[in-house]
C-alpha cells in the first residue's frame, strides 16, 4: 500500500524534478518532501502559514521539496496562489484546489482534501500552523491517514523529533514520530518567525498546478457554514504584534478597558486580555491570551491588572520583555516580569499615556 | 437520543507541576487529580440538553488506569446516567482514544458525542477531531454555543475561532468539542455523590473492543522550560519608561 503511493508519487512530478536523487528509494517513505497546508486571506498567504514555511526549513532532509496546498474559490484564491509561488524560496510547487466546497474552512472537506493530496503525493511531512483552522483540520486528516499528529510544535530537533510544550508550557516534551505514514505537524507560529517582506524575484517562482478534484467524494451535506462574526478594528493582529498591552479582571468593566485600548493605540500595539476579562464581557474572546486562547511572543508584553495565573502565563511567557503593573506585590505575574511596578493601574496608565513618546 | 461524553482524569489545573529528575515525565504521584476542566464543560452541556428534554440519556466514558473510575464517579455525581470505563495502562495517545471511542460509539449508538477541546495535561487538542474523522461524522470544535434541533436532526454550533465566532450547522450524529465559554459546570451535591455510587459503570478492555493500543509516538524526554531571569521592581512610571527606552529598547 505504502509503496504503491510512492510509485505513484514517482510517476508524478518529483521523480522528474529529481531524477537521479538516491533519496527516492521505493523501499522508504522518507521522500523528504513536505506539504504545507496554507491559509490565505485577501489574496495573500496568512502570516501563520508563512511561519509553517519557515518550519520546513528546519527539517534537515525535507527542505528540498516543499509543496504548498491552497484551497478556496474565486479570484482571491488565484491571487494567493501567485503570492505563494514567489513568497518563499523553498516552495517548489503550489497546489490549488479550486472549488466552492473550500470557500469556508469546514473541517470535513478540508481533511478529505489533505488526505487525497497525501495519497497522491506521498509526502514525508504535512505541516500547518497551529491556528484555529490547523487545530480543527489536521487531527481529522491525521485520523484519516491513521497517524498520530504532533500539535503546537515549538522546536524541530531532526526530521522525526520535535519539541512541544505540555502542561500549559510548564514542561517541554521531546517526542519522536516512529510511524510509517506521513509525519503531521502543527507548528506554533511564534516559534518560527515568518520571513520579512518577501523578495519578489521571478527566478524563484514555483509552478502552480490545479488539484484534480474529479474523484473528490466528500459527502458534503453533513456540515454547513452559516456565518462568522469578527470584531473589526485597526489594531495590529494579536498573534504577530510587536507590542501587546493586556488587561485583566482589575479593569473592573468594559468602560475602563478603554484605558488599555488607548495605551495600545499610543504604542501601536495589539490588545490582549485574560480569561477573567473575557468572561466578564470586557472584550471579545479572540483577545484572550493563554493556554486556551492565543499564544503570543511580542517584543514587549505589558500586563495591567493581571494576576498571572498558570493558564495566562502559558500564552505569553516567551515574550521578550514583560512589564507587569499590579497593586498586589505578591501577584505571580511579578515572577515572570522583567519590569514590575506595584501600583494602581488607574493611576499608572494615565501617567503612561501622558509621558510616553508619540509612536513613530 | 443518547449523548456520550468523554472525560479524562488529569493533574488538577491549579497544581504547579514538577518535572521528574530522570526526564521521563511529570510527577503525578501524590498530586491532586481532577476531571479535565473542558470535560466538565462537555458533561455539563450534555446534562443541560437532557434536562431540556432533547436527550434521554447521558453516558460518561473514560479511558485509562483504574483510578479513572473516580473521575467517572464525579461525572455520575454531576448527573450522568451511567459510565463506561476502558481500562488501559501506559500511554494512551489521542489516536488510540479516538479508536476506542469509535468502538464505543458503535456499541452505544449515541446521537451526539461531546468532548472537551483539549486536555490540560498533554494540550493536544486532537481527540474530538480524530474521532469525528474515524466515524465520518461532522465536527463542531471549540464550541461556545450549542443549539439542538431535534426535529431537523441538526445541531448549530458557535465556534471560537482566531478572528471571532464562526457558526456552523451539523447533521446528527455529530461530534462537538467544548470551549471554556460554553457553560458554567455545576457542582455535585452530597446527595448526588451518594446516589452516584449506585450508578452502573461498565468495564471494557481495549482487547474486548478489538482496539490495538500501539503508538507511533515515543517520548524522548520531558524537561523544564528555560527559566526567565529575575526581573526588577521599579518605583515610578518615569523609571519604567526610561528602562523600556534605554535598557530594553522596545519603545
Amino acid at each position: 500500500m505504502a509503496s504503491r503511493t510512492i510509485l505513484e508519487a514517482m510517476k508524478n512530478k518529483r521523480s522528474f524534478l529529481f531524477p537521479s536523487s538516491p533519496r527516492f528509494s521505493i523501499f522508504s517513505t522518507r521522500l523528504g518532501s513536505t506539504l504545507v497546508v496554507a491559509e490565505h486571506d485577501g489574496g495573500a498567504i496568512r502570516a501563520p502559514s508563512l511561519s509553517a514555511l519557515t518550519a520546513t526549513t528546519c527539517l534537515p532532509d525535507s527542505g528540498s521539496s516543499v509543496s504548498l496546498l491552497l484551497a478556496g474559490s474565486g479570484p482571491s484564491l488565484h491571487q494567493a496562489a501567485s503570492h505563494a509561488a514567489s513568497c518563499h524560496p523553498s516552495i517548489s510547487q503550489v497546489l490549488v484546489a479550486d472549488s466552492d466546497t473550500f470557500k469556508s474552512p469546514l473541517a470535513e472537506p478540508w481533511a478529505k482534501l489533505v488526505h487525497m493530496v497525501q495519497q497522491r503525493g506521498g509526502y514525508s511531512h504535512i505541516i500547518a500552523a497551529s491556528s484555529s483552522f490547523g487545530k480543527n483540520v489536521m487531527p481529522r486528516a491525521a485520523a484519516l491517514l491513521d497517524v498520530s499528529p504532533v500539535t503546537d510544535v515549538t522546536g524541530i530537533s531532526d526530521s522525526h523529533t520535535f519539541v512541544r510544550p505540555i502542561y500549559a508550557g510548564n514542561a517541554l516534551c521531546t517526542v519522536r514520530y516512529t510511524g510509517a505514514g506521513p509525519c503531521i505537524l502543527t507548528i506554533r507560529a511564534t516559534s518560527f518567525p515568518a520571513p520579512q517582506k518577501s523578495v519578489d524575484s521571478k527566478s524563484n517562482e514555483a509552478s502552480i498546478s490545479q488539484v484534480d478534484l474529479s474523484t473528490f467524494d466528500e459527502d458534503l451535506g453533513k456540515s454547513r457554514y452559516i456565518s462568522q462574526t469578527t470584531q473589526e478594528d485597526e489594531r495590529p493582529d494579536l498573534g504577530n504584534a510587536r507590542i501587546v498591552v493586556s488587561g485583566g479582571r482589575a479593569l473592573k468593566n468594559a468602560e475602563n478597558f478603554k484605558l488599555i485600548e488607548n495605551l495600545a493605540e499610543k504604542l501601536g500595539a495589539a490588545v490582549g486580555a485574560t480569561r477573567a476579562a473575557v468572561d466578564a464581557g470586557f472584550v471579545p474572546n479572540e483577545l484572550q491570551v493563554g493556554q486556551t486562547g492565543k499564544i503570543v511572543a511580542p517584543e514587549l508584553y505589558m500586563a495591567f491588572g493581571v494576576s498571572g495565573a498558570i493558564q495566562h502565563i502559558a500564552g505569553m511567557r516567551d515574550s521578550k520583555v514583560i512589564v507587569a503593573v499590579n497593586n498586589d506585590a505578591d501577584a505571580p505575574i511579578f515572577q515572570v516580569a522583567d519590569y514590575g511596578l506595584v501600583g494602581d493601574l488607574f493611576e499608572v496608565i494615565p501617567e503612561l499615556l501622558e509621558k510616553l513618546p508619540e509612536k513613530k | 437520543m443518547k449523548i456520550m461524553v468523554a472525560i479524562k482524569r488529569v493533574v488538577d489545573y491549579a497544581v504547579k507541576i514538577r518535572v521528574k529528575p530522570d526526564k521521563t515525565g511529570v510527577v503525578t504521584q501524590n498530586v491532586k487529580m481532577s476531571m479535565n476542566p473542558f470535560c466538565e464543560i462537555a458533561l455539563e452541556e450534555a446534562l443541560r440538553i437532557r434536562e431540556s428534554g432533547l436527550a434521554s440519556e447521558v453516558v460518561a466514558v473514560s479511558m485509562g488506569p483504574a483510578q479513572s473510575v473516580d473521575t467517572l464517579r464525579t461525572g455520575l455525581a454531576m448527573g450522568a446516567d451511567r459510565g463506561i470505563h476502558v481500562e488501559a495502562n501506559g500511554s494512551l495517545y489521542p489516536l488510540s482514544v479516538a479508536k476506542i471511542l469509535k468502538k464505543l460509539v458503535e456499541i452505544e449508538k449515541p446521537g451526539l458525542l461531546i468532548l472537551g477541546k483539549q486536555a490540560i495535561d498533554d494540550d493536544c487538542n486532537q481527540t474530538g477531531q480524530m474521532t469525528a474523522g474515524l466515524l465520518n461524522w461532522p465536527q463542531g470544535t471549540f464550541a461556545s454555543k450549542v443549539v439542538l434541533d431535534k426535529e431537523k436532526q441538526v445541531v448549530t454550533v458557535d465556534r471560537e475561532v482566531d478572528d471571532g465566532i464562526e457558526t456552523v450547522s451539523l447533521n446528527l450524529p455529530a461530534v462537538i468539542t467544548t470551549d471554556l465559554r460554553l457553560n458554567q459546570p455545576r457542582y455535585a451535591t452530597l446527595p448526588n455523590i451518594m446516589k452516584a455510587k449506585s450508578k452502573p459503570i461498565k468495564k471494557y478492555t481495549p482487547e474486548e473492543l478489538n482496539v490495538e493500543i500501539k503508538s507511533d509516538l515515543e517520548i524522548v524526554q520531558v524537561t523544564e522550560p528555560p527559566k526567565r531571569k529575575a526581573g526588577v521592581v521599579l518605583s515610578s512610571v518615569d523609571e519604567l519608561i526610561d528602562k523600556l527606552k534605554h535598557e530594553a529598547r522596545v519603545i
Side-chain angles (χ1 to χ4, degrees):
Chain A
M1 171 66 196
S3 57
R4 204 191 64 207
T5 317
I6 293 152
L7 284 170
E8 272 170 16
M10 292 184 68
K11 262 188 276 163
N12 289 347
K13 310 111 208 174
R14 254 182 309 287
S15 55
F16 107 88
L17 281 175
F18 305 101
S20 60
S21 167
R23 197 182 288 142
F24 297 106
S25 148
I26 57 162
F27 300 108
S28 160
T29 53
R30 308 282 172 257
L31 286 171
S33 60
T34 303
L35 179 71
V36 173
V37 181
E39 295 166 77
H40 60 98
D41 185 29
I45 307 300
R46 296 183 84 157
S49 300
L50 293 173
S51 293
L53 281 167
T54 305
T56 65
T57 61
C58 305
L59 289 166
D61 50 50
S62 303
S64 56
S65 170
V66 175
S67 299
L68 189 108
L69 175 63
L70 280 176
S73 69
S76 81
L77 170 67
H78 296 281
Q79 215 179 324
S82 45
H83 172 236
S86 58
C87 78
H88 202 281
S90 67
I91 301 179
S92 55
Q93 185 180 213
V94 179
L95 300 169
V96 178
D98 187 350
S99 163
D100 281 349
T101 311
F102 306 115
K103 228 154 112 186
S104 45
L106 287 169
E108 295 78 17
W110 265 96
K112 224 23 180 295
L113 175 68
V114 172
H115 177 254
M116 186 181 88
V117 170
Q118 171 63 26
Q119 294 290 316
R120 291 182 191 164
Y123 300 93
S124 64
H125 292 73
I126 308 178
I127 305 186
S130 195
S131 57
S132 58
F133 168 83
K135 287 191 278 198
N136 191 36
V137 171
M138 298 303 273
R140 187 177 177 109
L144 299 180
L145 292 159
D146 195 27
V147 302
S148 286
V150 184
T151 35
D152 223 10
V153 170
T154 56
I156 295 176
S157 307
D158 65 45
S159 59
H160 290 88
T161 313
F162 312 100
V163 180
R164 59 180 302 269
I166 55 174
Y167 288 92
N170 288 299
L172 296 177
C173 182
T174 305
V175 58
R176 182 180 294 130
Y177 176 71
T178 57
C183 190
I184 299 191
L185 311 175
T186 64
I187 59 100
R188 183 176 281 195
T190 53
S191 301
F192 300 93
Q196 293 303 309
K197 262 292 166 257
S198 56
V199 219
D200 222 338
S201 76
K202 286 281 168 200
S203 60
N204 241 336
E205 203 128 318
S207 67
I208 299 178
S209 44
Q210 302 287 324
V211 176
D212 175 12
L213 295 170
S214 59
T215 57
F216 190 77
D217 61 348
E218 166 64 13
D219 178 6
L220 296 169
K222 284 187 179 170
S223 62
R224 289 159 301 280
Y225 179 87
I226 307 291
S227 62
Q228 165 139 13
T229 48
T230 305
Q231 208 84 1
E232 287 298 335
D233 62 42
E234 303 290 296
R235 284 189 291 267
D237 179 43
L238 181 56
N240 43 36
R242 205 179 67 81
I243 303 177
V244 173
V245 182
S246 82
R249 196 200 309 265
L251 268 301
K252 295 198 179 84
N253 58 48
E255 192 54 39
N256 289 339
F257 209 92
K258 295 228 159 59
L259 280 171
I260 298 286
E261 289 164 12
N262 294 344
L263 184 59
E265 194 155 330
K266 181 129 194 191
L267 289 164
V271 170
T274 64
R275 180 190 171 192
V278 176
D279 281 355
F282 304 171
V283 288
N285 64 286
E286 65 262 30
L287 298 189
Q288 185 178 329
V289 171
Q291 183 182 19
T292 65
K294 292 215 171 80
I295 309 287
V296 300
E299 283 181 43
L300 173 61
Y301 188 88
M302 303 181 85
F304 293 91
V306 171
S307 63
I310 295 170
Q311 292 76 17
H312 184 73
I313 304 283
M316 45 67 86
R317 65 186 305 148
D318 292 328
S319 306
K320 213 168 124 217
V321 176
I322 298 174
V323 171
V325 176
N326 200 304
N327 56 13
D328 173 9
D330 297 323
I333 188 81
F334 286 118
Q335 289 163 23
V336 296
D338 300 279
Y339 303 114
L341 193 55
V342 180
D344 183 352
L345 65 93
F346 293 106
E347 288 165 19
V348 173
I349 297 180
E351 197 178 340
L352 274 169
L353 280 169
E354 189 190 317
K355 291 179 174 170
L356 276 173
E358 285 300 325
K359 66 173 171 179
K360 284 152 236 155
Chain B
M1 186 182 78
K2 196 190 285 184
I3 302 179
M4 186 183 276
V5 180
I7 59 182
K8 183 177 184 183
R9 178 176 180 266
V10 298
V11 172
D12 188 84
Y13 74 94
V15 169
K16 176 134 183 44
I17 58 112
R18 281 180 303 129
V19 171
K20 287 184 192 165
D22 66 0
K23 296 185 178 175
T24 55
V26 163
V27 177
T28 53
Q29 269 196 327
N30 301 319
V31 169
K32 186 185 178 198
M33 306 290 277
S34 306
M35 192 189 298
N36 180 46
F38 290 97
C39 302
E40 287 184 348
I41 295 168
L43 182 53
E44 175 67 33
E45 194 64 18
L47 297 173
R48 288 185 189 190
I49 293 171
R50 188 193 64 194
E51 282 158 8
S52 69
L54 295 168
S56 52
E57 192 184 29
V58 173
V59 183
V61 305
S62 192
M63 291 109 209
Q67 300 94 314
S68 306
V69 169
D70 303 344
T71 310
L72 277 174
R73 288 279 170 219
T74 308
L76 297 174
M78 280 174 70
D81 297 290
R82 58 192 171 88
I84 296 176
H85 176 223
V86 181
E87 184 151 0
N89 294 297
S91 6
L92 265 184
Y93 290 98
L95 182 59
S96 303
V97 175
K99 286 178 179 175
I100 293 171
L101 278 173
K102 179 178 188 253
K103 291 286 180 182
L104 294 178
V105 162
E106 284 162 3
I107 294 168
E108 294 284 339
K109 303 198 167 37
L112 198 57
L113 173 63
I114 313 183
L115 303 88
K117 81 162 177 181
Q118 75 191 64
I120 59 162
D121 52 1
D122 63 24
D123 282 334
C124 274
N125 196 333
Q126 300 170 346
T127 307
Q129 296 88 313
M130 297 185 89
T131 312
L134 294 178
L135 288 164
N136 196 22
W137 285 9
Q139 67 191 49
T141 50
F142 327 142
S144 62
K145 190 179 171 199
V146 171
V147 180
L148 196 68
D149 186 332
K150 207 177 173 185
E151 209 109 292
K152 292 189 188 138
Q153 285 289 297
V154 157
V155 63
T156 305
V157 180
D158 282 4
R159 307 180 53 233
E160 294 202 5
V161 294
D162 288 343
D163 338 300
I165 301 283
E166 178 189 291
T167 308
V168 294
S169 162
L170 315 170
N171 289 0
L172 294 178
V175 175
I176 289 172
T177 74
T178 59
D179 216 315
L180 280 174
R181 268 167 288 276
L182 181 58
N183 60 45
Q184 191 66 47
R186 69 194 65 187
Y187 288 103
T189 58
L190 188 59
N192 285 343
I193 293 171
M194 300 312 286
K195 251 189 265 170
K197 291 187 175 163
S198 56
K199 288 183 179 174
I201 293 180
K202 192 168 168 56
K203 288 197 177 278
Y204 287 103
T205 62
E207 295 74 40
E208 284 164 355
L209 295 170
N210 210 5
V211 178
E212 193 193 346
I213 307 288
K214 59 170 170 81
S215 179
D216 48 4
L217 289 178
E218 92 191 23
I219 291 174
V220 179
Q221 63 169 14
V222 175
T223 55
E224 298 218 6
K227 292 240 183 319
R228 290 188 75 94
K229 67 168 177 49
V232 290
V233 173
L234 311 173
S235 56
S236 71
V237 169
D238 290 315
E239 207 185 334
L240 174 61
I241 292 177
D242 180 68
K243 291 277 189 191
L244 291 179
K245 251 195 215 164
H246 300 111
E247 194 176 273
R249 296 172 188 276
V250 283
I251 56 170

